[in-house]
Structure formats: structure tokens, C-alpha cells
Amino acid sequence: MTEAAPFFADLAEGPEGGRAVWLRTADGVRIRAGIWAGGHRGTVVLLPGRTEYIEKYGQAAADLQRRGWSTVSIDWRGQGLADHALPDRRYGHVEDFDEYQRDLDAVLALVAAEGLPQPLVMLGHSMGGCIGLRALHRGLGIRAAAFSAPMWGIALPVWERPVARLLTAVAGPLHLTRKLAPDRGPETYVTTARFEGNLLTGDRAMWNYMRHHVEAQPDFALGGPTLGWARAALAECGALMRLPPPDVPALTVVGSKERIVTVGPIRRHMAQWPGATLDVYAGVRHEVLMEGPAVRQRFFDSACALFDAQRSAAPV
């Protein structure tokens, strides 16, 4: 039987009846899962990006439920209210991206135990798009996938790339994996950056929505990644881009003003993906799901059209 976890419905602004539960992963980490049931067409497994947490996607769950879909989401280990590997909860750390697959396995077991409606489809943002692509290769029964600015490469200035390669290479031998990456602080971006010129969204209301969350619940705030996380992320992105795309229908959306993930690998991978669609949104930044109403409507209409097409298709 699952144990209820804290859930801040007033912050999430999601559908009625949203709730959260604690889960234990195969390696003993306690993570938090969020459930918004009520959609009859199937269940969207929503995979957040780095620094994110369940409540951030309450409005997305409402958009999905209006289109007939239930949603389940997750606090990855080291984020939100899940267990953190380091004493300072503001540091984001894993040693290997396989750890996130254990988190996802626990959530999929919850979906089965709760009897949430089939089929299962996936929505992955940023780091969640990286974790989600690996999950598709594992053959977990996901029938379709929509990606928002997937982290299939990490945007770094040209001068910083050799430094990053060197530091991540020596981090393990020098026992530096739990140190913050250079030029990354312990504070979360939305509390230190100004709305003007920010890299996430051009919509002030959604910027304020995100900022209000971390001000109201400081445990939601996450600062920079560790060298261990950076090493693991670079390794996983490289490994995934060397694989052929999985045989799963997919949509990928990226903004023309994207500056956080690298767009080149997205374009190349989608060009190799039979039957998949890449849509570039003019004037949009990193967080497509945190833009204004017109952008969000465009995205959810497209994603749910893809998902709906799989309801009568043969299982993969």
C-alpha cells in the first residue's frame, strides 16, 4: 500500500483530486510521485527536467485532462522532496543516469498498481527527455512520446567545452564528483535571474508561477549540478545519440531561442527517426510548457493528437 506524501495543490493549480505518494526505488531511494487521475483516454507519464518537481506541472496536467488524459509525474532523486544524495539539498547530484531509470521503474510500477488507464504515453522535458529516450530504448511499453527541448546535448560556450571535458574526466579519480560544477552556484535560477533576458520563458505570468513555487516551498529549489551529474549527463547524451532512434512514434518541440540544451543533436536525431516530427517554435525559449496560453495550446494539441492516434494502434 502506498504512503501519502505532501502535495501542494494550491501551488500546482492542477485538476481536482491531485495527490502525491512516496515510493521506494530498487536501490532504496525514496522518491515522490504525483497523480492526476480522471482522464479516460490513457495516462501521460510526465518526466520533468533537472531542478523540477511535481507541482510545477499542475497546469500541464490540467491541459492534459481537458484533452482526456490522466497524468503521473515524479520528483527525481535529488530534486523536489525526494531523497538527496548530498547533505546540502540545493546541490543536484547523481553518479550515473541509470539511477533515474530506477526512479522511472518505481513510477511505472505505481501506474500498474493504481490501475491508471492505458495506453501509456510519455511527455519528457529537457533532462526528462534524456531519461525518457533511454526508457524508450528499454522497451517499457510506452506507445508514443512527446519531447520538449530534450537534453540530448548540453549547451556550453566554445571556450568552456574543453574545460568541461577535462574536469568531468578527472572528477572521479580526484574524488571531485560531489563538488559543484564551475560557475554554478547553490541558488536556483528563477530566484537569481531577472525576468528580462531569462533563458526559460517569455511569459511573465509563468515566470512568476515558477518563482512563487520556490519562494513558498524552499525545498523545491535546486542550484547547480555537481561534476558527477555533469559527467553522467554528458556520457548519457553521447551514448543515446550513438543509438538509432527507437521504433516509437514521437514529436519533438524546441524553441528558436533555445540556449540551455544543444539543438544540433536534436535536429540530427529527429532527421533519422522514421515517422517522427520536429517542430521549431519561433520566439520560444527553453520551457515550452511554461510559455503563454497560445504556445501551450499548440503544444498540447499536437502532443495529444499524437497520443490519440496510438489508442487504436497495435501495442509496440
Side-chain angles (χ1 to χ4, degrees):
M1 186 171 182
T2 56
E3 177 188 355
F7 177 71
F8 303 96
D10 57 328
L11 298 180
E13 301 179 17
E16 291 292 324
R19 59 192 176 93
V21 298
W22 295 119
L23 301 176
R24 284 284 174 187
T25 66
D27 56 343
V29 176
R30 189 174 79 161
I31 62 172
R32 192 174 62 127
I35 303 169
W36 287 278
H40 64 282
R41 301 183 72 81
T43 300
V44 178
V45 182
L46 198 161
L47 307 183
R50 202 190 80 82
T51 79
E52 298 183 332
Y53 46 86
I54 292 163
E55 283 81 358
K56 183 172 177 178
Y57 287 97
Q59 291 190 17
D63 284 320
L64 290 165
Q65 190 178 92
R66 282 192 289 271
R67 292 163 175 82
W69 290 84
S70 295
T71 300
V72 61
S73 193
I74 181 173
D75 282 0
W76 301 114
R77 62 183 66 202
Q79 298 185 193
L81 303 187
D83 284 351
H84 288 232
L86 304 183
D88 191 332
R89 294 180 63 88
R90 299 174 300 171
Y91 290 14
H93 177 74
V94 293
E95 294 284 347
D96 193 297
F97 263 46
D98 282 349
E99 296 175 43
Y100 292 128
Q101 296 299 318
R102 297 169 206 155
D103 298 349
L104 180 56
D105 288 345
V107 170
L108 294 179
L110 172 70
V111 169
E114 292 278 336
L116 292 174
Q118 298 287 323
L120 296 186
V121 295
M122 176 188 293
L123 196 171
H125 171 65
S126 197
M127 185 184 82
C130 178
I131 298 166
L133 181 56
R134 174 63 69 184
L136 296 183
H137 283 292
R138 294 176 61 214
L140 298 179
I142 303 295
R143 298 272 289 275
F147 297 105
S148 159
M151 190 190 78
W152 296 342
I154 301 173
L156 294 171
V158 172
W159 65 267
E160 196 172 302
R161 293 172 193 170
V163 177
R165 285 194 293 268
L166 175 62
L167 284 174
T168 54
V170 303
L174 296 181
H175 306 289
L176 299 174
T177 59
R178 296 186 168 212
K179 301 293 185 182
L180 275 183
D183 297 326
R184 304 297 187 267
E187 303 303 323
T188 197
Y189 181 76
V190 295
T191 61
T192 59
R194 294 170 56 88
F195 171 71
E196 294 77 13
N198 83 84
L199 301 178
L200 302 181
T201 177
D203 187 78
R204 187 179 289 274
M206 295 303 286
W207 174 263
N208 291 339
Y209 174 75
M210 294 186 286
R211 189 177 181 115
H212 174 57
H213 283 189
V214 296
E215 290 173 345
Q217 292 296 330
D219 277 346
F220 287 166
L222 192 69
T226 62
L227 285 169
W229 183 93
R231 180 182 65 174
L234 291 169
E236 181 70 338
C237 290
L240 287 170
M241 292 301 96
R242 289 191 291 271
L243 295 173
D247 186 18
V248 178
L251 164 71
T252 294
V253 169
V254 65
S256 67
K257 293 186 175 181
E258 175 61 56
R259 298 294 183 271
I260 290 179
V261 301
T262 306
V263 177
I266 296 173
R267 291 185 179 277
R268 290 190 292 272
H269 206 61
M270 292 302 293
Q272 300 167 17
W273 199 322
T277 300
L278 173 63
D279 198 355
V280 179
Y281 286 17
V284 170
R285 305 178 201 185
H286 181 60
E287 301 220 14
V288 177
L289 279 65
M290 299 291 151
E291 282 290 351
V295 172
R296 297 202 307 275
Q297 180 175 341
R298 176 180 171 185
F299 176 82
F300 286 109
D301 284 351
S302 297
C304 288
L306 172 69
F307 298 159
D308 287 339
Q310 303 311 309
R311 295 183 68 240
S312 59
V316 293

